[in-house]
Amino acid sequence: MAPVTAYIGLGANVGDREAHIRSALAGLDATAGIRVMRVSTLRETEPVGGPPQGDFLNGVAALETTLPAEALRAVCRELERAAGRDLDAPRNHPRPLDLDILLYGEQRIDVRDLQVPHPRMFDRAFVLDPLAELGVEVGSLTRPERPRVISDPVLFAASQSEWLRGGCVTGLVPTMGALHEGHASLMRAAREECDRVAATVFVNPKQFGEGEDFAAYPRDLERDLEVFRREGVDVVFAPEPAAMYPDGFCTELSVGAEAADMEGASRPGHFGGVVTVVAKLIALARPDIAYFGRKDAQQVAVLRRMVADLGFAVEVRECPIVRDADGLALSSRNAYLSDSERRTACVLYRGLRAACDLHAAGERDAGVLLRASRVPIEAEPGVDLEYLELRREGDLRPLPAGPVLAGRLLVAARVGPARLIDNMSLGDP
Ligand code: AMP
């Protein structure tokens, strides 16, 4: 292989910092296929993030190497270990040695544990200044775009393939945009568990019925991108309907029992549209884990069934409902509510809570529990109750007769221009 010029970030803030760095440079130079060409001056730097800790000594080394980037990284890892670094310690903890591949020729690399150019170097003077000292034109380096925004399904699938080949664990967060903290909580859960996070923004026409709010649904991709960026999402797939459903598209999924009642009864065709689009998103993204909110509990039940029935190799992760301080479940559709309608809508939460409190106090009669929810909701002017159900956890099938030991209450109601849904487990605190 022809030699490649690579730049390695050097850092240490534990023990004899300079000695750690000098012996790592000697170790690199002694490795077959690596020659250390130049080393910048080392500088004192304050730590970024992590627990309170001492200042770093930082610099950059220019290497010539015939090793592939992954092999170079393995050498760096080994030298870090030899310096006494605990490689399992969380990021930004004190460390006797930090060796990061900043640049590897002109290549862009995006595999598990290795992103080149190093994604955080562009914000760090303690990397950019020494790079400039070594003659790198830092102004002409282009920061890898994060998140990448892709609208073409083929390109989205190709970008996912790259990560799969690179051994990344990938998460998928499907949304319709108009993002709020509920969506952000899904992204955070994905960020915790996955090497790469893909999110989608698609207001899916197939899941809206006649006379529903497809046209009015709030759309603001620029604002959404700020949330995706803040939550560290790697790629955002935001297709137009014509890209998802091009001329001639004629394959649709249909759904069974989980989808027949509640939302399925109120919104005919809704779940068929949901499973069709989510199946397509899963097929394009091939995620290890897909994240959904319990706010749409029946949707999660339907999607779990679809994933099991069709044999998709994806884990469905259900994340807790995020509520405002007054209890109202966050929803993009809350944007339709006036201030007074918003206050009115809180009765859904209070109604669900009333039944859960009664259950916690020992009540086991389904009729009594349902009444405890229904009475305040029906008594609230401006609320038009569509359904209130007490169902088995998980698949949301009807409860068996007899005392209610566990279950989930689900509600749908119209408040002014908005149709709202919410749910709560009898066991929720
Ligand atoms: P949507 O954009 O409304 O299709 O929602 C996208 C995902 O976010 C779905 O999995 C929803 O269940 C989830 N989600 C919506 N609202 C909330 C919330 N308040 N708490 C948790 N997840 C939510």
Side-chain angles (χ1 to χ4, degrees):
M1 193 177 120
V4 171
T5 303
Y7 292 86
I8 305 286
L10 312 163
N13 77 337
V14 171
D16 185 339
R17 301 169 305 165
E18 181 157 359
H20 287 309
I21 290 175
R22 297 285 168 211
S23 85
L25 289 167
L28 285 167
D29 204 47
T31 304
I34 300 178
R35 278 179 56 209
V36 176
M37 308 302 289
R38 296 183 64 201
V39 181
S40 73
T41 48
L42 300 178
R43 56 207 74 205
E44 293 282 341
T45 320
E46 286 184 10
V48 180
Q53 55 190 294
D55 284 353
F56 276 82
L57 204 56
N58 281 114
V60 170
L63 316 178
E64 249 181 34
T65 182
T66 51
L67 299 184
E70 269 99 343
L72 177 59
R73 178 179 166 74
V75 172
C76 292
R77 282 303 210 183
E78 211 31 64
L79 290 167
E80 288 173 345
R81 199 192 319 271
R85 175 165 178 185
D86 172 6
L87 295 181
D88 296 323
R91 214 164 76 183
N92 294 335
H93 270 235
R95 45 207 183 271
L97 184 63
D98 202 3
L99 299 177
D100 289 332
I101 303 180
L102 304 171
L103 299 169
Y104 182 86
E106 305 273 293
Q107 284 191 33
R108 301 183 93 85
I109 302 168
D110 193 358
V111 298
R112 188 169 201 180
D113 294 333
L114 186 57
Q115 278 171 260
V116 179
H118 193 283
R120 289 175 294 282
M121 73 179 203
F122 297 91
D123 305 312
R124 299 185 172 170
F126 64 82
V127 178
L128 296 179
D129 292 347
L131 272 175
E133 187 188 324
L134 295 179
V136 175
E137 286 211 22
V138 292
S140 66
L141 296 173
T142 45
R143 178 193 288 261
E145 179 200 359
R146 282 290 148 143
R148 261 183 91 186
V149 183
I150 300 179
S151 59
D152 180 337
V154 175
L155 294 182
F156 176 52
S159 122
Q160 295 290 114
S161 294
E162 217 175 301
W163 289 339
L164 287 173
R165 273 199 307 278
C168 296
V169 174
T170 63
L172 179 71
V173 181
T175 83
M176 297 202 298
L179 301 178
H180 50 65
E181 268 301 301
H183 300 109
S185 74
L186 307 186
M187 297 169 213
R188 283 197 280 275
R191 194 66 281 171
E192 282 272 299
E193 283 189 293
C194 303
D195 301 310
R196 298 289 185 275
V197 177
T200 67
V201 177
F202 182 57
V203 185
N204 173 31
K206 289 192 186 295
Q207 69 188 68
F208 288 79
E210 285 282 310
E212 290 191 353
D213 56 344
F214 174 70
Y217 200 85
R219 292 163 171 88
D220 187 348
L221 186 59
E222 283 311 308
R223 201 193 135 270
D224 290 344
L225 286 175
E226 281 168 33
V227 179
F228 289 129
R229 197 167 295 124
R230 194 184 68 218
E231 299 302 338
V233 166
D234 297 291
V235 66
V236 173
F237 177 50
E240 291 296 325
M244 285 294 274
Y245 306 124
D247 277 350
F249 184 96
C250 66
T251 307
E252 302 214 15
L253 296 176
S254 60
V255 284
E258 269 83 2
D261 53 10
M262 298 190 287
E263 288 305 284
S266 297
R267 305 182 66 189
H270 170 66
F271 282 127
V274 169
V275 292
T276 298
V277 76
V278 173
K280 179 153 185 170
L281 292 173
I282 290 174
L284 292 170
R286 286 169 292 152
D288 296 282
I289 312 174
Y291 295 82
F292 300 96
R294 189 171 296 144
K295 157 80 166 36
D296 299 275
Q298 194 182 8
Q299 170 170 283
V300 178
V302 169
L303 289 173
R304 274 194 200 289
R305 192 69 252 170
M306 182 270 283
V307 161
D309 289 349
L310 299 185
F312 282 119
V314 59
E315 268 182 65
V316 172
R317 199 72 89 235
E318 186 175 359
C319 301
I321 301 175
V322 177
R323 300 178 179 282
D324 257 335
D326 56 10
L328 185 67
L330 297 190
S331 164
S332 305
R333 291 189 167 97
N334 293 351
Y336 300 150
L337 301 171
S338 68
D339 287 350
S340 83
E341 286 163 344
R342 211 194 156 291
R343 281 191 295 279
T344 300
C346 290
V347 75
L348 299 183
Y349 172 74
R350 289 200 304 278
L352 295 175
R353 210 33 300 147
C356 293
D357 291 346
L358 209 55
H359 187 262
E363 181 58 60
R364 295 291 178 267
D365 185 289
V368 176
L369 292 167
L370 280 165
R371 223 169 8 260
S373 276
R374 179 171 292 117
V375 168
I377 294 172
E378 285 187 335
E380 185 78 26
V383 177
D384 187 5
L385 179 63
E386 227 172 71
Y387 63 77
L388 174 71
E389 295 279 338
L390 179 52
R391 295 296 181 91
R392 203 158 78 173
E393 287 284 8
D395 62 11
L396 305 180
R397 295 286 177 87
L399 281 172
V404 178
L405 301 180
R408 182 166 290 275
L409 282 151
L410 302 105
V411 67
R414 286 196 169 275
V415 179
R419 180 178 182 279
L420 303 176
I421 60 173
D422 199 352
N423 67 89
M424 198 177 284
S425 168
L426 288 177
D428 280 350

